[in-house]
Amino acid sequence: LLVEAVSLGIPTVATDVGGNKEIIRTDADGTLVPLGDAHALAEAIERALKRKKTRPEDAIVRFAPKTMVRKTAELLKSLV
């Protein structure tokens, strides 16, 4: 759901685990908080609720189906 939220310009909050940092660029798309940091999570949610919805053009390009297929194909080729 992170990709969809970022693509739609919805202010997003997530923990800094796994591939989340590849999707959310702090302050541009949303906020990443350290895992287990309830205070940071609460602050990030408060900030996100105050932000206006935007539709960043680069997110639309980054997560377009054609781009995702190309990146997946490149990754698979690099593994062979």
Side-chain angles (χ1 to χ4, degrees):
L1 293 174
L2 288 178
V3 170
E4 289 83 356
V6 170
S7 294
L8 293 172
I10 297 171
T12 308
V13 177
T15 53
D16 190 4
V17 297
N20 291 349
K21 68 178 75 179
E22 295 176 22
I23 298 168
I24 298 177
R25 296 168 303 161
T26 301
D27 296 329
D29 302 318
T31 305
L32 290 173
V33 297
L35 180 63
D37 189 339
H39 182 71
L41 179 61
E43 287 181 347
I45 291 171
E46 285 181 14
R47 284 193 311 272
L49 290 172
K50 293 175 184 174
R51 287 180 61 186
K52 292 184 179 181
K53 181 178 172 183
T54 61
R55 188 144 187 206
E57 293 301 318
D58 68 313
I60 295 168
V61 173
R62 281 190 300 153
F63 301 118
K66 188 180 280 188
T67 303
M68 298 303 290
V69 168
R70 180 181 49 79
K71 287 184 175 185
T72 302
E74 288 171 0
L75 174 65
L76 292 174
K77 286 179 185 177
S78 74
L79 297 174
V80 176

